[in-house]
Tab-separated table of all heavy atoms in Angstrom:
chain	number	residue	atom	x	y	z
P	68	THR	N	3.734	-8.361	15.927
P	68	THR	CA	2.897	-9.056	14.953
P	68	THR	C	1.708	-8.180	14.567
P	68	THR	O	1.473	-7.124	15.161
P	68	THR	CB	2.376	-10.368	15.556
P	68	THR	OG1	1.532	-10.024	16.668
P	68	THR	CG2	3.507	-11.279	16.007
P	69	HIS	N	0.939	-8.645	13.606
P	69	HIS	CA	-0.295	-7.929	13.241
P	69	HIS	C	-1.250	-7.891	14.430
P	69	HIS	O	-1.915	-6.878	14.664
P	69	HIS	CB	-0.956	-8.570	12.016
P	69	HIS	CG	-0.168	-8.355	10.764
P	69	HIS	ND1	0.030	-7.114	10.200
P	69	HIS	CD2	0.491	-9.236	9.977
P	69	HIS	CE1	0.771	-7.232	9.118
P	69	HIS	NE2	1.063	-8.513	8.954
P	70	ALA	N	-1.307	-8.973	15.188
P	70	ALA	CA	-2.190	-9.001	16.362
P	70	ALA	C	-1.791	-7.939	17.384
P	70	ALA	O	-2.664	-7.293	17.989
P	70	ALA	CB	-2.172	-10.387	17.007
P	71	VAL	N	-0.504	-7.724	17.576
P	71	VAL	CA	-0.031	-6.699	18.505
P	71	VAL	C	-0.480	-5.317	18.042
P	71	VAL	O	-0.948	-4.496	18.829
P	71	VAL	CB	1.513	-6.771	18.649
P	71	VAL	CG1	2.063	-5.543	19.367
P	71	VAL	CG2	1.917	-8.046	19.372
P	72	VAL	N	-0.345	-5.052	16.745
P	72	VAL	CA	-0.759	-3.756	16.187
P	72	VAL	C	-2.264	-3.564	16.343
P	72	VAL	O	-2.726	-2.502	16.783
P	72	VAL	CB	-0.334	-3.643	14.708
P	72	VAL	CG1	-0.945	-2.409	14.046
P	72	VAL	CG2	1.178	-3.613	14.602
P	73	LEU	N	-3.038	-4.573	16.019
P	73	LEU	CA	-4.496	-4.472	16.133
P	73	LEU	C	-4.935	-4.284	17.582
P	73	LEU	O	-5.832	-3.482	17.868
P	73	LEU	CB	-5.162	-5.698	15.516
P	73	LEU	CG	-5.021	-5.819	14.003
P	73	LEU	CD1	-5.533	-7.167	13.518
P	73	LEU	CD2	-5.727	-4.676	13.293
P	74	ASP	N	-4.310	-5.015	18.507
P	74	ASP	CA	-4.635	-4.855	19.929
P	74	ASP	C	-4.328	-3.443	20.413
P	74	ASP	O	-5.112	-2.846	21.148
P	74	ASP	CB	-3.865	-5.868	20.778
P	74	ASP	CG	-4.369	-7.295	20.619
P	74	ASP	OD1	-5.485	-7.479	20.079
P	74	ASP	OD2	-3.644	-8.224	21.023
P	75	ALA	N	-3.189	-2.908	19.997
P	75	ALA	CA	-2.811	-1.549	20.406
P	75	ALA	C	-3.801	-0.529	19.849
P	75	ALA	O	-4.253	0.366	20.564
P	75	ALA	CB	-1.398	-1.228	19.947
P	76	ALA	N	-4.162	-0.664	18.586
P	76	ALA	CA	-5.128	0.274	17.982
P	76	ALA	C	-6.463	0.206	18.711
P	76	ALA	O	-7.092	1.236	18.981
P	76	ALA	CB	-5.304	-0.043	16.497
P	77	GLU	N	-6.892	-0.987	19.067
P	77	GLU	CA	-8.157	-1.157	19.793
P	77	GLU	C	-8.094	-0.500	21.172
P	77	GLU	O	-9.048	0.148	21.602
P	77	GLU	CB	-8.483	-2.640	19.930
P	77	GLU	CG	-9.832	-2.888	20.588
P	77	GLU	CD	-10.193	-4.359	20.625
P	77	GLU	OE1	-10.184	-4.995	19.554
P	77	GLU	OE2	-10.479	-4.856	21.731
P	78	ARG	N	-6.978	-0.659	21.874
P	78	ARG	CA	-6.825	-0.021	23.185
P	78	ARG	C	-6.948	1.494	23.104
P	78	ARG	O	-7.370	2.139	24.048
P	78	ARG	CB	-5.473	-0.384	23.817
P	78	ARG	CG	-5.430	-1.746	24.446
P	78	ARG	CD	-4.221	-1.936	25.357
P	78	ARG	NE	-2.963	-1.464	24.814
P	78	ARG	CZ	-2.162	-2.171	24.016
P	78	ARG	NH1	-2.510	-3.391	23.647
P	78	ARG	NH2	-1.020	-1.671	23.591
P	79	PHE	N	-6.564	2.060	21.974
P	79	PHE	CA	-6.659	3.504	21.775
P	79	PHE	C	-8.008	3.921	21.183
P	79	PHE	O	-8.216	5.090	20.868
P	79	PHE	CB	-5.510	3.997	20.894
P	79	PHE	CG	-4.222	4.152	21.658
P	79	PHE	CD1	-3.363	3.076	21.825
P	79	PHE	CD2	-3.884	5.365	22.233
P	79	PHE	CE1	-2.186	3.208	22.540
P	79	PHE	CE2	-2.711	5.513	22.950
P	79	PHE	CZ	-1.864	4.429	23.111
P	80	GLY	N	-8.920	2.975	21.032
P	80	GLY	CA	-10.259	3.291	20.540
P	80	GLY	C	-10.316	3.632	19.064
P	80	GLY	O	-11.213	4.356	18.626
P	81	LEU	N	-9.397	3.100	18.297
P	81	LEU	CA	-9.346	3.387	16.870
P	81	LEU	C	-10.101	2.327	16.068
P	81	LEU	O	-10.153	1.163	16.453
P	81	LEU	CB	-7.891	3.462	16.407
P	81	LEU	CG	-7.070	4.575	17.068
P	81	LEU	CD1	-5.589	4.388	16.785
P	81	LEU	CD2	-7.556	5.934	16.606
P	82	GLU	N	-10.658	2.755	14.967
P	82	GLU	CA	-11.365	1.852	14.055
P	82	GLU	C	-10.395	1.418	12.968
P	82	GLU	O	-9.775	2.255	12.312
P	82	GLU	CB	-12.553	2.589	13.443
P	82	GLU	CG	-13.374	1.762	12.503
P	82	GLU	CD	-14.556	2.554	11.964
P	82	GLU	OE1	-15.193	3.276	12.733
P	82	GLU	OE2	-14.809	2.437	10.744
P	83	VAL	N	-10.270	0.111	12.766
P	83	VAL	CA	-9.282	-0.426	11.834
P	83	VAL	C	-9.967	-1.285	10.786
P	83	VAL	O	-10.777	-2.156	11.116
P	83	VAL	CB	-8.229	-1.288	12.577
P	83	VAL	CG1	-7.205	-1.839	11.606
P	83	VAL	CG2	-7.568	-0.498	13.690
P	84	THR	N	-9.629	-1.045	9.530
P	84	THR	CA	-10.056	-1.925	8.445
P	84	THR	C	-8.825	-2.272	7.608
P	84	THR	O	-7.862	-1.520	7.564
P	84	THR	CB	-11.128	-1.278	7.539
P	84	THR	OG1	-10.639	-0.036	7.042
P	84	THR	CG2	-12.416	-1.037	8.297
P	85	VAL	N	-8.875	-3.410	6.967
P	85	VAL	CA	-7.779	-3.859	6.117
P	85	VAL	C	-8.050	-3.398	4.691
P	85	VAL	O	-9.163	-3.551	4.177
P	85	VAL	CB	-7.629	-5.391	6.172
P	85	VAL	CG1	-6.586	-5.878	5.180
P	85	VAL	CG2	-7.270	-5.837	7.583
P	86	VAL	N	-7.022	-2.834	4.071
P	86	VAL	CA	-7.112	-2.387	2.681
P	86	VAL	C	-6.669	-3.536	1.786
P	86	VAL	O	-5.596	-4.112	1.990
P	86	VAL	CB	-6.214	-1.153	2.443
P	86	VAL	CG1	-6.241	-0.743	0.976
P	86	VAL	CG2	-6.641	-0.001	3.340
P	87	ASP	N	-7.491	-3.874	0.810
P	87	ASP	CA	-7.159	-4.929	-0.142
P	87	ASP	C	-6.086	-4.406	-1.097
P	87	ASP	O	-6.271	-3.369	-1.737
P	87	ASP	CB	-8.410	-5.373	-0.903
P	87	ASP	CG	-8.149	-6.566	-1.797
P	87	ASP	OD1	-7.317	-7.419	-1.439
P	87	ASP	OD2	-8.784	-6.639	-2.867
P	88	VAL	N	-4.965	-5.101	-1.174
P	88	VAL	CA	-3.842	-4.665	-2.011
P	88	VAL	C	-3.492	-5.777	-2.989
P	88	VAL	O	-3.367	-6.939	-2.597
P	88	VAL	CB	-2.616	-4.331	-1.136
P	88	VAL	CG1	-1.422	-3.969	-1.996
P	88	VAL	CG2	-2.943	-3.218	-0.152
P	89	ASP	N	-3.313	-5.418	-4.239
P	89	ASP	CA	-2.887	-6.357	-5.274
P	89	ASP	C	-1.360	-6.449	-5.230
P	89	ASP	O	-0.667	-5.484	-5.556
P	89	ASP	CB	-3.359	-5.875	-6.643
P	89	ASP	CG	-2.938	-6.785	-7.781
P	89	ASP	OD1	-2.295	-7.829	-7.531
P	89	ASP	OD2	-3.243	-6.441	-8.941
P	90	LEU	N	-0.828	-7.582	-4.805
P	90	LEU	CA	0.615	-7.734	-4.662
P	90	LEU	C	1.371	-7.570	-5.971
P	90	LEU	O	2.546	-7.213	-5.978
P	90	LEU	CB	0.953	-9.093	-4.036
P	90	LEU	CG	0.468	-9.322	-2.609
P	90	LEU	CD1	0.910	-10.693	-2.124
P	90	LEU	CD2	0.969	-8.236	-1.687
P	91	GLU	N	0.728	-7.824	-7.072
P	91	GLU	CA	1.399	-7.690	-8.370
P	91	GLU	C	1.671	-6.228	-8.722
P	91	GLU	O	2.488	-5.948	-9.586
P	91	GLU	CB	0.574	-8.367	-9.468
P	91	GLU	CG	0.428	-9.871	-9.270
P	91	GLU	CD	1.764	-10.590	-9.110
P	91	GLU	OE1	2.713	-10.289	-9.862
P	91	GLU	OE2	1.852	-11.460	-8.226
P	92	THR	N	0.993	-5.302	-8.053
P	92	THR	CA	1.206	-3.874	-8.340
P	92	THR	C	2.150	-3.229	-7.326
P	92	THR	O	2.267	-2.010	-7.292
P	92	THR	CB	-0.134	-3.112	-8.343
P	92	THR	OG1	-0.720	-3.189	-7.036
P	92	THR	CG2	-1.081	-3.680	-9.377
P	93	ARG	N	2.830	-4.039	-6.517
P	93	ARG	CA	3.751	-3.494	-5.507
P	93	ARG	C	4.896	-2.751	-6.201
P	93	ARG	O	5.223	-3.033	-7.354
P	93	ARG	CB	4.298	-4.607	-4.623
P	93	ARG	CG	5.294	-5.505	-5.306
P	93	ARG	CD	5.656	-6.708	-4.464
P	93	ARG	NE	6.728	-7.468	-5.064
P	93	ARG	CZ	6.604	-8.252	-6.115
P	93	ARG	NH1	5.421	-8.405	-6.684
P	93	ARG	NH2	7.639	-8.904	-6.599
P	94	PRO	N	5.503	-1.791	-5.499
P	94	PRO	CA	6.650	-1.071	-6.074
P	94	PRO	C	7.785	-2.026	-6.428
P	94	PRO	O	7.975	-3.055	-5.767
P	94	PRO	CB	7.073	-0.115	-4.964
P	94	PRO	CG	5.880	0.011	-4.083
P	94	PRO	CD	5.142	-1.297	-4.186
P	95	ALA	N	8.557	-1.688	-7.425
P	95	ALA	CA	9.632	-2.549	-7.916
P	95	ALA	C	10.633	-2.912	-6.820
P	95	ALA	O	11.168	-4.015	-6.810
P	95	ALA	CB	10.340	-1.878	-9.084
P	96	GLY	N	10.893	-2.025	-5.889
P	96	GLY	CA	11.881	-2.286	-4.847
P	96	GLY	C	11.361	-3.077	-3.669
P	96	GLY	O	12.092	-3.321	-2.714
P	97	CYS	N	10.108	-3.492	-3.703
P	97	CYS	CA	9.510	-4.219	-2.576
P	97	CYS	C	9.620	-5.720	-2.826
P	97	CYS	O	8.959	-6.261	-3.718
P	97	CYS	CB	8.042	-3.829	-2.420
P	97	CYS	SG	7.208	-4.701	-1.077
P	98	PRO	N	10.433	-6.416	-2.036
P	98	PRO	CA	10.554	-7.870	-2.212
P	98	PRO	C	9.217	-8.582	-1.957
P	98	PRO	O	8.467	-8.185	-1.062
P	98	PRO	CB	11.578	-8.283	-1.156
P	98	PRO	CG	12.264	-7.022	-0.739
P	98	PRO	CD	11.281	-5.917	-0.966
P	99	MET	N	8.938	-9.608	-2.713
P	99	MET	CA	7.679	-10.349	-2.565
P	99	MET	C	7.513	-10.881	-1.147
P	99	MET	O	6.414	-10.863	-0.607
P	99	MET	CB	7.598	-11.493	-3.579
P	99	MET	CG	6.287	-12.261	-3.516
P	99	MET	SD	4.799	-11.248	-3.738
P	99	MET	CE	4.610	-11.341	-5.495
P	100	ILE	N	8.592	-11.310	-0.505
P	100	ILE	CA	8.478	-11.849	0.860
P	100	ILE	C	7.958	-10.779	1.822
P	100	ILE	O	7.160	-11.069	2.710
P	100	ILE	CB	9.816	-12.457	1.348
P	100	ILE	CG1	9.571	-13.275	2.612
P	100	ILE	CG2	10.874	-11.392	1.555
P	100	ILE	CD1	10.705	-14.218	2.954
Side-chain angles (χ1 to χ4, degrees):
T68 64
H69 290 295
V71 168
V72 171
L73 292 172
D74 288 345
E77 184 176 306
R78 281 195 315 275
F79 280 86
L81 298 168
E82 181 179 318
V83 180
T84 55
V85 174
V86 176
D87 186 33
V88 176
D89 179 2
L90 296 181
E91 297 306 317
T92 63
R93 72 188 187 285
C97 179
M99 183 57 90
I100 193 164

